[in-house]
Amino acid sequence: AATGDEIWRVSRDEKSQYSSPIIWQNSQRNELIIGGMVYRSYDPDTGSLLWQLDMEKGRSSATPLAEGDRLYVGTEFRNRGGADDGGGFLFAIKPGGSGDLSLNADETDSEFVRWKLARSGIQMSSPVICQGHLYLLERRSGTVHCIDAATGEKVYQKRIPGARALWASPWVQGGKVFCVDTSGTTFVLAGGPTFELVGKNEVDELTWSTPAIANESLFFRTATRLLCIKDAAK
């Protein structure tokens, strides 16, 4: 980063995918996590492959989520007659793995895969975790899936009343989950195992992008404007 010199380069056997890479800082090491129909972990210092996991196809759109010693990865279920038909699984990964972590079709866990959930609901939006639960959004139906982060059990699957398509990723603050639909409406959900819509805030402009949070402000990008929203008292 200081000089711009290239340190390593690794060729990837993947077609186009949309999820962003992350650094997973777990108790054993740092890992560079890259999405695709095969998820891969690399040593960020050397580019050496640490492990890989076959996602059983699907489209890799959502960015992986890491919290401590748990990594959550998934691909969107596809059923359009294409080469990527399949997927829709969400995996919880434990640190320390090496080689091929892929599961057989009848397996749901292994030494380094804590659990595997079919038809998880993961699509375009990246998942978030709040009060021990994962939240995943379906982009066209306005549906939220709540999953127990420890066990992989689906706690509920509910359509958010009044929500249109959900392309932006949610965020978490104060024990609540904030979800923005394409009309610019932010739906505020209670965190935890019970579905509860606790608030709704309307901007009424076409919105696709995920808001950014910095300096106690919410930067909200619509199709025509950039808005900064904050507590007036601050």
Side-chain angles (χ1 to χ4, degrees), residues 107-120:
E107 293 180 318
T108 58
D109 63 84
S110 67
E111 181 181 2
F112 295 107
V113 177
R114 178 68 181 83
W115 51 256
K116 169 188 172 184
L117 175 66
R119 296 297 181 100
S120 64

Side-chain angles (χ1 to χ4, degrees), residues 65 126-130 133-136 169-172 177-178:
L65 170 66
S126 300
V128 292
I129 190 166
C130 180
H133 292 77
L134 296 160
Y135 297 85
L136 302 93
S169 296
W171 71 95
V172 171
V177 182
F178 294 75

Side-chain angles (χ1 to χ4, degrees), residues 16-49:
S16 297
Q17 53 87 35
Y18 303 93
S19 58
S20 298
I22 67 165
I23 296 292
W24 179 22
Q25 296 178 309
N26 57 60
S27 61
Q28 299 193 26
R29 61 195 179 193
N30 293 336
E31 302 183 36
L32 173 62
I33 307 299
I34 308 288
M37 285 195 287
V38 175
Y39 255 79
R40 293 179 173 90
S41 169
Y42 298 91
D43 183 329
D45 293 325
T46 66
S48 298
L49 180 66

